[in-house]
Structure formats: structure tokens, C-alpha cells
Amino acid sequence: MFCPSGHILDAVGKKLRLFSHYSCDRCHERVADRGGRYHKCSHRCPYRVCSSCYAKAEAAHYVLEPCVSGFPQGLGPLSSHKTALTSLSLQPFDVQCNAWVKPLLGGLWSMGSTFFKKTKGTHRLWNVLAENGLTISIPADVFDQQPTNGVTVQVSLAAPVNLPENIRRSIGVPDGPGMRIAWIYPLEVDWQLLLPALDPGALDTPEFSLLTIGGFIYFRESSNETGPQRIEKLSAMSVAFSARGALQFSTPQEWLPEWTHTLAQKGRWHPVTAQKFAAAGAKYMSWIRPEDPIVAPRGLHGGFVFLFREFDERETKGDALFFEVTASAGSGGPSSTVQSMAASLKAFPPRLMSSAFAFSLAGDAQNASPRRWGRTVSRYLKAARESRWALVGHLLGEWPQLAPEVDEDGKTVLHYCAEKGLVGRRAKDILTALYRGGASLEVEDKGGRTPWDLGDKTFRALSSQVWGHIPDLFQDPEVWFEFWDKSRNGFLEPEELVPALAAAYHTGELGKQWIETYVHAHYRELAHGALLNKERMLGDGGLLHQLQSSEEFIALRANEDLPTAQMPAIFREEGLGRKPVEFEKDMLAAFAAHMDELRRQHGWLPNTPAPRTAKLLEVPAPFAGGSADESARLQAAREMLAWSFTKTSTSSQWQEGFQVAFKGGGEAGIDEGGLTKTWAQEIAHALWADDMFFDTKSSFAFFKPDDTNDFLLHCFHVKAESLYRWTGKFLAYCAYFGLVLDCPLSPWALRWVLRAATRINSAPPELIAIAGDWQPPSGDVVSIAGESLFIKANETDRPLEVPITARDGHIHATLRGKELHAVVQKDKMHWSDGTVWKKCATKGSLYVAAPSWPNTANGDDTMLEDLATMDGPFANSLWRVHHEMPASDLQWLTFSYAGVELVPGGEDIEVNDSNKSQYVRLCCQAALLQGASSGLQAFAEGFFEVLPPSMLQGLPIDALRWQLLGEDQMTEEQLSLLETLVIPEGLVPKHLSDNPTLCETARWVFRIARNSDGKFRSRLLEFWTGSSRLPQGGVDAIAPRPRLQVMVQAARPSQGAIWEIQLQDGWYFYDSGTAEALTKAQDAGQSAVEFRVRDNRYVLNLQEMVQINLRTGARRAVRRRDPPDRDEEAAQERATGVRRIETWPATRLPEGHTCGNELWVPLCHSEEELSKLLHMAVMNFEAGFALA
């Protein structure tokens, strides 16, 4: 018998000692109750079984426990996905030999072109294969049709399917006698050459995966004894990595060198094409069929073996890993003492980190019963008829699909909004929800009237604005004015101006009346007795300016919707745009200084190359065309993400940093240098450019629901939790290095990290001291974080959370239904039941305590504030339930939301004034903690691996968002500060930084920026530094310090011959003293001159006109020219003291070099010339392109 790690258990059992409390790791019974003898692993791992289980296992050959580690420490689990491949497209005919082969022996089979026409991706692949001459001709009798084309595929040896019935059903093995299993290897073509020609969106299909990675085929051959043995029935399955996959594998098993040679002799090794395996170093793979005699008695159910070397390389121990298929299904019972302990926990409220509760912010009508849905629709329409708008808004947030529903009169809620004159901020919220839910302004009721017909001018203006039919006053004021200028005469009439302004400000009826009075009172005055034009409406001192500065109007708008209570600012649209105040800026500066000091400790110094301790991270280069081709850019970014994930997902060197290098570029990333910044921006683009890895809601992205198992990352599958954990590491790395990037991740995800850190840091010192992972005698890992102990019940669900306390010098917890206490001595925890836990050597904890909020009024407000960062309208609706909704409306609600009961029996519990606080709290908890709990947990775990909770102590709740996003606009103040930093200290060449011409050209750059709009400034900043955003500390925090290089050099000597040397970017002249000495030597007939510059000695061969560095041997061409004529250019050169570098004429476009944050500009004749060149370069460079 073998332990889960593949080690042999001792055949001779040991007798249980007196007072020992060992339990069997197979049956989970006490050894004392099972005969008193146990067998232990020979490799001294803590795996034990009782003698009864050992005897049963020996009688049944052996049992392997499934492995859950990532490759190459583990393989799988794998899920099966049925493909369109059948016996009509695959037969055992070897075209090369022009003969049928026996199906059981595998070999080269023929795959017809009909299979490739099943999906868009494979059809395109077929065309690419045909264009590259990789197809073959297949005789007519192979597929009982006309001669066709196809490809040859390699199929392994076949064997009978001997898996248990439950696993056969779960992985889709066809029913029937005589079914065989074989592995079909991927097409052996140059995928790196072919993939760029394919549509990335078409690659995520089982058929394409079958061709690129391989898959299983299950078949039954015909019983023809005389003719060829054709395939009679065939089903093909591709495989994908899935946490709940039914096909599981053991830990790496022992593999003998002679088995490698035997497989090689039989031609059973095949190149690895899956990037997940190749990136880990695997070169070749082979499928070992069930009960294969080569590895007997191993391989009872088959397995995969991977070879990690070339065949001409020297053999080493462990250069091949064998992963055997286990006979246990993915949903098996517990297999350890700790799991039994977790299963016995009772009277414990369900933890909000559990993924069993499939909650989402919005319900799905398809999942609701007809009775529930009918009752919900009736309640929704009745609330609209009775003008219960708070209730209508709440129901729309719960069920967006209600928006287009109609009543018996054919009316939608939009009809009632128009009829009843719904106005104010609440009107915009409800209309926005109706618009997102699919409501239409053109639906007619039974009387033939649309909402547009029923509404007044204010309703029409507001609904048109929500539906996007009219521009926004505050985003596009001039376009807004032109829209409302119906006569196109350049003026606005009072009759159109009043409803337009009321809609723009979302005022209530009282506000609308006030605007009407104000407009009529001031219109003629501002229009000077005529009509109001654009300048008198929008200009300084115009009507809009006076209206916005009126204290009476401001007070009116603040109170008209909420006469009894003031809605918290965080729930309004401007809440998420809050900037840090002074004391928060100080805390952010202290955090940045801490990160800077930590980087210095690891060798990262400003303006210096990466230290030797940094790990080389070589990844594919970004798409050179940038955003000019979004599809190509995203494909390249996803490939970069795949390589970055593979090379760093298991790395513990994140704080040591990575030296980024692009394949083929040959450049190294430096501290906040161009390559590192480009890498971060492209990784962010790969993660959040679409909804492949994250759900998109409004302008934010959030984690996929808990039932999402895996993702296709470039060309291989990864577990969802693994990618989210890596995303946490990536964002922590960006915060650690002060990288600013476009991160649309929901602010709640970053708040979650800080809330969890606060909870962990607030634990008593005694618990902080023992935080981390502990190993009970069973060998499993138990984690302690904050005031919680995490016990993992199985490999698919999140761990159970058990409260622990520290008092009287002991640790207290309820385990196995018993109140236990423990004493910690050094690295051991001694429990009162005799169990001893050992401290693991790993840093930190495997799991993170979820955020919690005090059960107080302030705690409720904080929870709503957090919810507003994720879904403002939902938080707004819950706030109104808590503070505004009358009891007559509350009784329509129950303790369920989006079809999910918030408490057992919640569908039958009505909400009232006494329990509405609990209802709101449960809704918040479900939305914040349960919808994507696995993703949030994994994200935080990854973040804390790079930046532990202790480093985040005391930070403002939005600190991480501010740190990562920085400032999205460069203000006049920041622009002036940047100018002060650059002129003259940041001017290049340094020895000319005080030159008036150089300084004047630099000032032109800043004047051009001031006279341009915000978009140009952002693009200029990205062109200059690699990021369109400023760090949170402003331009002072940009590192390295920005520099501006005017491409000039000192003026040439005024007399005598000119001597120049050719460097990489053009010809540069010698100083006047050296030039004079060279002239004299050549005129005197000398053949060579030796001279010294600093520590280098040179010889200038006057016959070959070559300068030689005597230390390095480097040779450079030199030339002698007569002085220029005394023309205008020469005169200007003498007047300014500088001249243009030969390769940088006045017409050359500026360049941005983001590695050193440098902007290079030519010396132009005027500011206008430079402005044209700078605008052309800045506005036309492509985002995502590595400028460095």
C-alpha cells in the first residue's frame, strides 16, 4: 500500500502505545478501536492507517490518493469536454503506408477535413494548414465517400476502459460493451508559426483544444474478421484543468530509467505542446494505457508520464514524472483527521466565504419559479401604479428583467413614470435602471400611447439623456447647447431652456419651479433684451455660472429629495471620485517611503539597473502597433500574461523584484523603467480589456462567480482561483514598486484587502504571534489569521472558519464539538486532548479572514459605504429601505434577494420597521462577501504574499486604489511643478543646461502643454513617462526624475579645421584643443597621434582616419572638414552657442524614452513649428507600444 505521496507503507505494523490517540487516515476511526496496530509511511510523513484498512488495501492491490498541487508537483484535476469528432472523421488508416492498422495498436490515423468544418476556429485552422502544405490526400474508401483531404494524427495504444462506473459517467465515457480508451496526441506542427494567423476568439473550443493539446477517444471497432477493422463507434473528449474535474491524478510516482528507453524504442514519446507543461520544462509526454505491462503493477487505470530532458542529454534522477489516474472521484469524502474535525463542527453560522451560496447582485428570472416570478411582477407593477418609487427602484435592482414587463392595460413602469411626473435624482436612478433592464420609450399601451407621448418636457429631456439621445450638459456643454438650439439660430428660448436645465440637474418639482422663475427673471437681463446665445449661457458670468453659484439653488437641490434625512455623499456619483485629503496624503507618502526603503533593502536604487538578486522575467514583447490593432494587442498581451503567470505563480521572490526583458529586445527592466511599466500596463490590459477573466459591471470589473472553475489563458487552462491569486500578487507588486496603471477592478476588491488586513492586525498580540500555518498529526494544514482558525474540509470548498481566542495564557477554540485549549511552546501547540500541532516553515497563512463590520449603526453605514463602491444604485436602494421606505412599502419585501433566501425560510419573513436593519445588513453581506467569495479570498491571499497585512496597517480605506490609479489629470499646478523640476536641472545635455536657447525650447514644450486640452496632457505624460497617470504624490513622485533633452551640441570652434568622430547616432566634433593638435600633426606629415581622455588612451591613425581605443580595441571613423562659410546658419550657431545634432534636423518628430523618463525634441525655429511636431508625435503614438 502507498501513501498519498506515493511512498510505500511499512509492511510490519506497529503496536499502539499507551495513551496514544492516533486515528486512521483511511477510515478516520481510532486505531485503538481497530485492533490497536497501525502502519506508517516509510518516508516518515505523518500518514497512518490501521491494520484493518491496510489488509483491505493490500487485497485490492493498492490505492492512490489524488494530488492537488500545480504542475509539475501535481497534475489536474481534469474535466472532459465532448467534441464533434466521430467515426465519420477519424479512422485507423495510415496514409503513409497506404494500409489499415489495428485500432488497438494505435499509430498514425487519418482525420478527415469534415471535422475541421465543425467550428469557426477549426475551419480557419484548416485553411492555414492547407496554405502551408500540411494536409494530405485520403483515399475514397476510408470515409465511404469521394477522395478527400485531411491530416494524420498520432493515437496511442488502446486498452479496455476499467474506471469505476461513477467516474465513467462523470467524464462522459459512452455506454456499451467493448469500449476502448486511447489518447490522441496534438497535431505535430509549428504552433508558434500558425497561432498568430488564427482568430484568438475562436481558440476556446473543445475541438481546437483537442488538436493543440490532445484528448481521449473512446471507441469500439467493428467485428469484421476479413476486411479492415474500422471504428464503429467513437467519442472524443478534450480535457481542461478544473478544480472539480472528475479525472484526478496521483502525486508523481516512481519512474525507472529503463521505462524511458522502452518507450523511446517503441516511438511512444511525443513533443509537449501545452504551454503549461512546456513552461515548467517538460519536453516530451506519453500516455500510459490502463494496465500497461511496461509499468506493471503501476498504471492500473493509466496515466501520463512527462520527460524533462532531451534524449541526447544525460540522465538524471527525477527527469521523468509519472502521474497515475486515481480511482477516486472528485467529490469523495474526507481523508484526514482535520477534515473529520471540520465536518463535525455544529451550531456555527455559515461563513460568508463559503462558495456554496450562489449569490449575485441581480437575480435571474430563468431561475425563479413561475409562481415566484408572477408574484414579483404583480408587486412591481402595483408599486408603480401607487407611486411607491423607492420600492420600484429596489425591485428593479433585485430583478432587472422586470423593466419591460406590462400590466393588463399594456403599460410598463416607464408609462407610469411619465404619467405621474417622476422627477429628481430618484427619477434618474429609476430611469437608468429601466434603461439597463431593456425598457423602451416606444412601447404602446392598449390606448396606443408611448411613455414619450405621456411625459412632459422634463421627462422627455431626462429620459432622452438617460437613453443617450442627448448630450450631457457638464461633459459636453457646447454640444448640449447646440442640441437644444432646435432652430439652429445660435439662441435658446426660455421654453426649451427650463426643462433642459431641470433634466440636466435632476431636480424635483420644487427645483423645476425655482429654475423657471430664475430663468424668466434673469433671461432678458443676461440676453440684453434679446435671445440667449452660447456665450451668455455658458461663458464666465453667464446664466449657467450664476445658477450654479446661487446658494439658494444649491440648498434647494440638497434637500428637495430628502426632507427628513441627508443621503451620504458616497452614494452619489461623485463619491467614488473622492480625492485624499491632507492627512490621508501624509499617510500615503509614509507608505510610499516605506516601500522605497524596502526596495532599497533588496538592492533597488533609483536610476540604476536591476540588482543581481532580481529574477529575470523574460516574456514575449508587446504588439509593436499598440492600440492601432486592438485584437493583435490583446493577443500579444494575453501571451505575455500567460508567460508571466507561468514563470512567477509559484515564485517567492516578488519582493526581490523582477528584471523584465522582452524576447528579442535584449534590454533589462530597471526601477520603474520603461520595460517594467510597459509590462504592467500590458498585463492590466490582458486582465481587464474584456470580460474573459472578470465580469464587467458599469465601469468596473469584478471576479467571476464561485462556480467558475478555470480559464483558457492563451493556449492552456488555469484554475480561476490560481489566476485571481496571481492577480493579487501582481497588484501588490505594482503598489510595492509605485507603478501606476489603468486598473478597472472594483474598488471593493481593494477595500476588501484593507478591511481584511485591519481585522488581522486588530487581533490580540498572542494570536498575532502564532499566526500562520500549523500541521496537526494528520498531515493537513490548519491556518491561523487574526482571530480565526481555518480548517479545510475538502479540496473544492473554501475552508471553514472557527473563532479562536487568547486568555489566561491559553488558546481557546471549539474543535470536534468540544471546547479545547492549547499552550504554545516554541514551534508546537499542545492541545488539551493530547494533540500536538507543529508550526510550518512557510511565511504567512494559507487563508485570509474575511472582512467584518461592527453590528452597530456606524457599522451598517460603513457596510453601505463599501457596497456603494461596488454598486452605487444598489447601496442607494438599501439606504432608502433603511431610512425612507414607509412601513406600507416594507411589508412588500421578504428576507430574500434575487431569488436567494437570506436566512432559512426568508421567503416567508416580511420586512418591517423592527427588522429592516437586519435585512439591509444581510443584503450587504451577501453582495459584498458571497457572490465571488473564492475570487476575493484568492485575490487577498495573493496580495498578502507580497505585502503582508502588517505593512498595510493604518492606511486609509481607499489607499490602494489611490496608490494604483494615481491622478488621471495633470492640473496647471502639477504642470508648473514639472516645469520647475525640468528647467534647468532636468535639461540634457547637462553641460548646456544653462544655455538660453536650450531653456527657451524647453519652455516652449510647457507652453504648448498649457495651451492644449487635458487629453493632450495625458498623452504627453504617457509619451514621456510610459503612463498617462501621475503617481499619487504628483510629479514629485515620478521616478526616475523626468528629463527633457533638446537634441543639440555645443557650437563648433570659430576657426581652424573641424575634426569629427562618428558615434552611434551621428558625427560629433572634437574640442578645439584636440582639433588644433590633430591639424598640426597631419599638416606636418605625421601618420598617427596618441592622446588621452580621462582614463582612456587613444591612437588616431591619420592615414586610415580611424581612432582606436587602446584598452578595448574599439575603432571609430574620423573626418576633417574645412570651416563652414560665414552664412546665416553659422552666424546663428555662434550667436546661440549650440548647433543641431546632424541626425536631428528641425523637422524630426520628438521621441519618448520611458526607461529613463526622457523626452527628446529637436531644436526648432519657432514655438509653432515645435507645437506641430509635438502634437503629431504625441497624438499619434500607439498606447501599449514599448517606447523605451
Side-chain angles (χ1 to χ4, degrees):
M1 183 179 179
F2 300 86
C3 76
S5 299
H7 305 139
I8 300 177
L9 297 186
D10 290 330
V12 180
K14 295 184 178 180
K15 188 174 181 181
L16 192 68
R17 294 181 180 181
L18 191 63
F19 303 120
S20 294
H21 297 276
Y22 292 150
S23 297
C24 175
D25 289 330
R26 293 295 302 170
C27 65
H28 311 297
E29 300 291 338
R30 292 168 59 90
V31 173
D33 300 332
R34 302 276 290 175
R37 295 186 69 85
Y38 66 93
H39 300 257
K40 191 176 180 181
C41 174
S42 59
H43 283 62
R44 292 184 291 184
C45 75
Y47 190 78
R48 301 182 184 88
V49 298
C50 64
S51 56
S52 299
C53 288
Y54 184 85
K56 291 180 180 179
E58 286 295 293
H61 188 47
Y62 64 92
V63 177
L64 290 170
E65 291 289 333
C67 176
V68 295
S69 301
F71 190 83
Q73 290 77 25
L75 178 66
L78 300 180
S79 59
S80 297
H81 302 270
K82 187 174 178 60
T83 71
L85 183 63
T86 66
S87 59
L88 298 177
S89 303
L90 184 69
Q91 286 293 338
F93 182 83
D94 188 343
V95 174
Q96 296 181 5
C97 300
N98 195 28
W100 292 85
V101 298
K102 292 184 178 180
L104 294 181
L105 299 181
L108 289 176
W109 290 18
S110 297
M111 179 182 290
S113 61
T114 54
F115 168 68
F116 289 87
K117 299 176 182 178
K118 300 293 184 181
T119 68
K120 179 180 178 181
T122 52
H123 191 216
R124 174 59 183 151
L125 175 61
W126 172 258
N127 294 334
V128 174
L129 291 173
E131 292 169 2
N132 288 273
L134 300 175
T135 60
I136 59 172
S137 297
I138 301 176
D141 61 335
V142 175
F143 297 114
D144 296 328
Q145 57 186 7
Q146 295 294 325
T148 185
N149 292 329
V151 296
T152 58
V153 293
Q154 183 73 43
V155 179
S156 72
L157 296 171
V161 179
N162 63 359
L163 288 170
E165 187 64 29
N166 63 327
I167 300 182
R168 292 180 60 166
R169 287 195 304 269
S170 60
I171 63 178
V173 178
D175 294 329
M179 294 303 296
R180 311 284 181 173
I181 180 176
W183 176 261
I184 180 170
Y185 290 96
L187 296 181
E188 293 188 11
V189 296
D190 189 349
W191 288 108
Q192 296 297 327
L193 176 65
L194 299 182
L195 285 177
L198 302 174
D199 179 11
L203 307 185
D204 190 13
T205 63
E207 288 76 15
F208 200 90
S209 177
L210 182 73
L211 296 170
T212 56
I213 297 177
F216 291 105
I217 56 172
Y218 304 97
F219 66 88
R220 180 172 60 236
E221 67 269 32
S222 64
S223 57
N224 189 352
E225 297 181 358
T226 58
Q229 285 187 298
R230 292 177 173 270
I231 298 301
E232 184 178 278
K233 182 178 181 181
L234 182 140
S235 178
M237 302 284 183
S238 67
V239 295
F241 293 95
S242 172
R244 295 178 175 86
L247 194 60
Q248 300 197 13
F249 297 83
S250 68
T251 52
Q253 304 298 298
E254 182 182 10
W255 183 262
L256 302 180
E258 52 265 32
W259 296 348
T260 301
H261 298 306
T262 302
L263 291 181
Q265 292 171 358
K266 296 180 178 293
R268 291 177 59 180
W269 287 109
H270 298 274
V272 169
T273 59
Q275 287 194 17
K276 180 182 180 69
F277 303 143
K283 305 294 185 182
Y284 300 93
M285 65 169 290
S286 179
W287 164 251
I288 303 300
R289 59 177 173 169
E291 301 184 25
D292 196 314
I294 293 178
V295 298
R298 290 283 184 183
L300 181 64
H301 301 290
F304 290 101
V305 58
F306 294 87
L307 185 63
F308 289 79
R309 63 173 175 84
E310 297 290 348
F311 292 112
D312 56 356
E313 294 179 353
R314 183 179 179 182
E315 292 181 2
T316 59
K317 185 176 182 181
D319 61 10
L321 299 178
F322 177 41
F323 300 93
E324 185 173 347
V325 176
T326 67
S328 59
S331 58
S335 60
S336 70
T337 304
V338 174
Q339 292 166 349
S340 299
M341 182 191 309
S344 66
L345 291 172
K346 297 179 180 180
F348 218 62
R351 298 307 305 173
L352 295 175
M353 67 178 63
S354 173
S355 60
F357 186 48
F359 186 90
S360 62
L361 293 184
D364 187 351
Q366 295 180 351
N367 297 331
S369 65
R371 177 174 173 271
R372 176 197 290 272
W373 182 244
R375 188 170 66 247
T376 303
V377 172
S378 175
R379 181 185 305 170
Y380 162 73
L381 294 170
K382 183 178 180 181
R385 284 194 296 269
E386 297 177 2
S387 299
R388 301 176 184 270
W389 300 120
L391 182 60
V392 169
H394 190 71
L395 291 173
L396 275 172
E398 183 177 356
W399 302 100
Q401 300 89 343
L402 288 169
E405 292 290 337
V406 297
D407 62 10
E408 59 275 8
D409 297 325
K411 292 183 177 179
T412 66
V413 167
L414 205 51
H415 284 84
Y416 291 110
C417 291
E419 274 186 351
K420 299 178 181 297
L422 180 63
V423 292
R425 285 195 296 266
R426 184 173 300 167
K428 186 188 177 185
D429 291 343
I430 292 179
L431 290 178
T432 301
L434 288 169
Y435 168 69
R436 291 175 178 172
S440 173
L441 290 166
E442 300 176 358
V443 174
E444 296 181 352
D445 61 12
K446 290 185 176 179
R449 297 168 300 178
T450 67
W452 186 266
D453 299 330
L454 295 172
D456 59 12
K457 291 182 179 179
T458 303
F459 171 82
R460 292 179 182 180
L462 181 57
S463 58
S464 295
Q465 184 175 316
V466 171
W467 263 254
H469 299 156
I470 64 175
D472 186 278
L473 168 62
F474 306 103
Q475 292 183 0
D476 300 295
E478 293 191 3
V479 178
W480 176 90
F481 185 95
E482 292 171 0
F483 175 86
W484 287 103
D485 180 15
K486 302 298 184 182
S487 61
R488 296 294 183 268
N489 60 0
F491 302 101
L492 287 184
E493 301 278 353
E495 291 73 18
E496 291 293 341
L497 186 56
V498 171
L501 287 173
Y505 280 103
H506 314 142
T507 62
E509 186 60 36
L510 186 60
K512 178 184 175 183
Q513 294 174 9
W514 191 94
I515 286 178
E516 186 173 10
T517 302
Y518 190 92
V519 167
H520 283 293
H522 296 275
Y523 185 91
R524 298 299 175 186
E525 171 190 343
L526 291 170
H528 300 291
L531 296 176
L532 200 66
N533 61 19
K534 186 184 297 185
E535 177 63 26
R536 292 163 186 164
M537 174 65 197
L538 304 175
D540 294 339
L543 178 62
L544 183 61
H545 174 77
Q546 292 194 17
L547 195 63
Q548 287 181 305
S549 59
S550 169
E551 294 184 3
E552 182 181 358
F553 183 54
I554 294 172
L556 176 70
R557 291 185 61 223
N559 297 305
E560 64 178 352
D561 277 354
L562 304 171
T564 58
Q566 181 66 38
M567 186 179 299
I570 192 67
F571 301 157
R572 298 198 293 271
E573 293 179 359
E574 63 267 23
L576 286 177
R578 186 178 77 85
K579 304 295 183 182
V581 295
E582 286 304 317
F583 82 91
E584 291 172 326
K585 290 181 179 179
D586 294 340
M587 299 170 75
L588 288 171
F591 174 75
H594 185 196
M595 295 298 101
D596 183 60
E597 178 58 31
L598 189 59
R599 292 197 305 271
R600 287 177 180 272
Q601 293 176 10
H602 290 293
W604 290 90
L605 302 176
N607 304 324
T608 60
R612 293 182 178 179
T613 56
K615 179 181 179 181
L616 177 64
L617 178 58
E618 188 178 17
V619 294
F623 174 59
S627 55
D629 186 340
E630 283 294 344
S631 176
R633 180 191 176 189
L634 183 57
Q635 182 179 0
R638 290 267 160 81
E639 187 177 0
M640 184 187 293
L641 171 62
W643 281 89
S644 300
F645 173 86
T646 303
K647 292 189 174 185
T648 64
S649 58
T650 59
S651 174
S652 60
Q653 292 185 309
W654 286 80
Q655 281 196 8
E656 284 79 1
F658 300 113
Q659 181 181 356
V660 177
F662 295 148
K663 288 186 178 180
E667 295 184 75
I670 63 172
D671 179 30
E672 292 133 336
L675 296 181
T676 303
K677 286 183 286 189
T678 301
W679 171 76
Q681 289 288 2
E682 291 305 292
I683 293 297
H685 188 70
L687 288 170
W688 295 300
D690 55 23
D691 60 354
M692 176 172 282
F693 304 129
F694 291 81
D695 281 333
T696 56
K697 182 176 177 63
S698 184
S699 57
F700 296 125
F702 200 62
F703 304 96
K704 296 280 188 179
D706 285 349
D707 57 1
T708 304
N709 294 327
D710 56 23
F711 299 115
L712 180 64
L713 181 56
H714 191 49
C715 294
F716 60 87
H717 290 263
V718 298
K719 295 179 180 178
E721 286 189 25
S722 298
L723 181 62
Y724 290 152
R725 184 175 289 105
W726 188 90
T727 303
K729 296 179 183 180
F730 167 70
L731 286 185
Y733 185 80
C734 291
Y736 171 51
F737 270 87
L739 300 175
V740 179
L741 67 161
D742 294 324
C743 175
L745 186 63
S746 170
W748 166 236
L750 300 173
R751 281 191 169 210
W752 202 101
V753 170
L754 287 175
R755 294 274 186 225
T758 300
R759 182 180 176 190
I760 294 172
N761 293 329
S762 63
E766 298 88 346
L767 295 182
I768 293 179
I770 63 171
D773 297 333
W774 295 80
Q775 188 175 42
S778 61
D780 293 280
V781 176
V782 175
S783 296
I784 296 177
E787 298 180 85
S788 300
L789 183 149
F790 297 92
I791 302 175
K792 196 165 180 62
N794 54 57
E795 298 302 334
T796 57
D797 292 337
R798 300 297 301 175
L800 293 172
E801 184 177 351
V802 180
I804 58 173
T805 58
R807 62 179 185 272
D808 304 327
H810 292 79
I811 307 300
H812 297 264
T814 301
L815 304 175
R816 290 177 295 188
K818 297 180 180 180
E819 288 282 348
L820 301 177
H821 63 270
V823 176
V824 180
Q825 296 178 350
K826 293 185 178 180
D827 292 333
K828 294 183 179 180
M829 189 179 299
H830 301 266
W831 289 92
S832 54
D833 64 347
T835 305
V836 178
W837 294 2
K838 296 180 180 179
K839 185 71 180 292
C840 296
T842 56
K843 295 181 180 180
S845 171
L846 281 177
Y847 307 111
V848 175
S852 62
W853 297 264
N855 194 12
T856 62
N858 287 337
D860 292 345
D861 288 343
T862 301
M863 190 181 300
L864 279 170
E865 181 182 318
D866 287 341
L867 180 59
T869 66
M870 185 178 180
D871 191 331
F874 184 33
N876 193 351
S877 176
L878 288 177
W879 187 92
R880 287 193 167 112
V881 169
H882 192 278
H883 294 284
E884 285 188 339
M885 193 175 288
S888 57
D889 286 0
L890 288 174
Q891 64 182 355
W892 291 37
L893 303 177
T894 63
F895 272 74
S896 65
Y897 193 88
V900 178
E901 291 186 335
L902 299 172
V903 295
E907 183 64 28
D908 299 321
I909 303 175
E910 289 186 357
V911 178
N912 52 47
D913 282 329
S914 62
N915 63 16
K916 63 183 180 181
S917 295
Q918 182 187 8
Y919 169 79
V920 170
R921 190 175 184 85
L922 289 174
C923 282
C924 288
Q925 288 178 336
L928 292 172
L929 300 179
Q930 291 178 315
S933 61
S934 296
L936 280 167
Q937 282 275 351
F939 175 76
E941 290 162 9
F943 198 100
F944 289 153
E945 281 188 41
V946 181
L947 296 180
S950 58
M951 292 186 180
L952 308 176
Q953 190 165 6
L955 284 178
I957 192 60
D958 288 316
L960 294 178
R961 180 167 64 89
W962 293 331
Q963 184 76 8
L964 291 170
L965 293 181
E967 299 283 350
D968 59 353
Q969 292 183 349
M970 181 180 286
T971 63
E972 288 284 348
E973 180 183 359
Q974 291 292 333
L975 193 58
S976 298
L977 182 56
L978 180 59
E979 183 175 10
T980 303
L981 292 175
V982 170
I983 304 176
E985 294 298 325
L987 289 182
V988 181
K990 279 288 186 184
H991 64 283
L992 297 175
S993 60
D994 293 329
N995 182 278
T997 301
L998 203 70
C999 293
E1000 181 63 18
T1001 300
R1003 292 191 180 93
W1004 286 351
V1005 172
F1006 291 97
R1007 276 207 295 268
I1008 293 169
R1010 286 193 182 88
N1011 295 331
S1012 302
D1013 57 16
K1015 181 179 180 181
F1016 174 81
R1017 295 181 187 180
S1018 296
R1019 295 277 292 180
L1020 175 62
L1021 186 65
E1022 184 176 5
F1023 187 72
W1024 195 336
T1025 67
S1027 174
S1028 61
R1029 295 172 175 269
L1030 284 172
Q1032 187 56 49
V1035 296
D1036 270 331
I1038 299 177
R1041 285 293 178 91
R1043 292 186 293 180
L1044 194 156
Q1045 179 163 354
V1046 183
M1047 304 307 289
V1048 297
Q1049 54 187 333
R1052 289 171 288 201
S1054 59
Q1055 59 184 1
I1058 298 173
W1059 288 81
E1060 295 176 311
I1061 182 171
Q1062 187 178 25
L1063 301 181
Q1064 291 181 350
D1065 55 349
W1067 289 90
Y1068 286 78
F1069 60 84
Y1070 288 90
D1071 62 78
S1072 57
T1074 304
E1076 184 177 357
L1078 294 176
T1079 301
K1080 289 181 179 179
Q1082 190 176 51
D1083 292 345
Q1086 296 183 20
S1087 61
V1089 175
E1090 182 175 338
F1091 60 96
R1092 179 186 296 271
V1093 178
R1094 299 186 183 90
D1095 295 332
N1096 293 322
R1097 293 172 55 228
Y1098 300 92
V1099 169
L1100 199 151
N1101 189 321
L1102 294 172
Q1103 295 177 345
E1104 299 180 8
M1105 297 299 283
V1106 174
Q1107 175 185 290
I1108 304 170
N1109 188 319
L1110 294 179
R1111 183 174 62 85
T1112 65
R1115 300 168 65 89
R1116 298 189 183 276
V1118 299
R1119 69 185 181 185
R1120 172 181 174 175
R1121 294 195 295 121
D1122 293 329
D1125 296 333
R1126 296 183 177 274
D1127 54 13
E1128 181 180 348
E1129 183 177 349
Q1132 182 181 5
E1133 182 178 324
R1134 289 193 301 273
T1136 60
V1138 295
R1139 68 185 180 98
R1140 295 184 185 89
I1141 296 175
E1142 186 173 326
T1143 55
W1144 272 82
T1147 56
R1148 180 166 172 174
L1149 289 178
E1151 294 181 4
H1153 292 259
T1154 59
C1155 259
N1157 290 338
E1158 291 188 7
L1159 176 64
W1160 294 3
V1161 298
L1163 179 63
C1164 295
H1165 296 99
S1166 67
E1167 181 179 339
E1168 290 72 20
E1169 288 184 7
L1170 180 59
S1171 179
K1172 290 179 182 179
L1173 295 174
L1174 192 59
H1175 273 84
M1176 185 178 297
V1178 168
M1179 300 309 294
N1180 290 284
F1181 89 95
E1182 300 301 340
F1185 177 65
L1187 297 170

